Amino acid sequence: MGDHKEQPLRVGAAVRRRRRALELTLAVVAERSGLSVPFLSQIENERARPSRSSLEKVADALRTTAVELLAAADPACSVDVVHAEGPEPDCLPRMRSLVRGHHQMHAQEFTGDHDAGREFQYRNDQLMYVADGAVDVEAEGRAYRLGRGDTLYLTGGVRHRWRATVADTRVVVVAVAEHIEAVRDRPRQ
């Protein structure tokens, strides 16, 4: 119960990701597969479910297999609980994923400090929430001090680094997944 593996799969997103990774238009895939552009568009937008035969034609056009496309598919309806782990003896710092699987969003919880010298730059937007403690963040040359309950929103492409300034700090970072084309190239300011 609540396991996303029991749900039907949405193969359209996997087809779109593969087509875009190959930098192909729907017209090219239609020509290669013998299927119509409108039908392929309906598949990608989850308005049509391809038959096994149609999925194999699409897979051939995308130089992959139907099995690979199904393996990369998203669950249609997803409810997945990630339970908190029990208290751990002083083994800080640590990181745990709050979302399992291949989704449009990633979320991680950081407890304690981490490599404060490491600079991050994500393709898509992200949100940092301080659940407990405090952090100092440097983003695009500016310093920010965040305390319990504070959030920092970073648009895709912003270079940043952060460090915990209080013991047992917990930070939750939620980001749009890298495989999602949520951000077009933005002009640097």
Side-chain angles (χ1 to χ4, degrees):
M1 174 160 61
D3 185 349
H4 61 80
K5 291 177 180 67
E6 298 170 1
Q7 301 295 334
L9 296 176
R10 296 183 332 180
V11 74
V15 169
R16 179 182 293 116
R17 283 191 297 270
R18 177 69 180 175
R19 178 179 62 79
R20 286 181 175 169
L22 295 172
E23 299 180 351
L24 299 175
T25 64
L26 281 173
V28 169
V29 177
E31 183 180 316
R32 288 181 180 179
S33 66
L35 302 171
S36 72
V37 171
F39 180 60
L40 291 170
S41 177
Q42 288 176 344
I43 291 172
E44 285 192 1
N45 291 300
E46 305 299 341
R47 289 191 298 263
R49 296 180 105 195
S51 66
R52 182 69 180 184
S53 172
S54 293
L55 185 59
E56 288 173 359
K57 289 176 183 178
V58 171
D60 288 344
L62 296 173
R63 296 186 174 99
T64 188
T65 65
V67 171
E68 288 296 319
L69 287 175
L70 289 170
D74 296 331
C77 297
S78 177
V79 176
D80 190 21
V81 176
V82 178
H83 291 284
E85 299 164 4
E88 296 185 13
D90 303 328
C91 61
L92 300 177
R94 73 181 182 106
M95 185 278 297
R96 74 179 181 110
S97 182
L98 302 176
V99 177
R100 288 186 280 238
H102 185 77
H103 296 286
Q104 295 181 12
M105 178 185 355
H106 293 291
Q108 298 173 317
E109 177 187 61
F110 296 87
T111 304
D113 209 345
H114 68 99
D115 182 2
R118 182 173 175 206
E119 185 174 74
F120 299 93
Q121 182 180 25
Y122 296 100
R123 176 178 172 199
N124 293 320
D125 296 0
Q126 75 171 42
L127 176 85
M128 177 182 284
Y129 170 74
V130 180
D132 285 311
V135 297
D136 283 343
V137 180
E138 180 187 319
E140 295 293 319
R142 294 188 60 195
Y144 303 89
R145 178 156 286 160
L146 305 176
R148 184 174 189 254
D150 291 343
T151 62
L152 179 72
Y153 187 87
L154 301 162
T155 58
V158 171
R159 294 180 183 279
H160 64 284
R161 68 179 91 232
W162 63 275
R163 68 180 184 89
T165 58
V166 174
D168 298 335
T169 291
R170 284 188 319 122
V171 175
V172 175
V173 176
V174 180
V176 176
E178 293 289 313
H179 70 273
I180 302 297
E181 203 159 325
V183 177
R184 300 260 183 236
D185 291 330
R186 291 186 174 136
R188 301 283 289 183
Q189 297 177 353

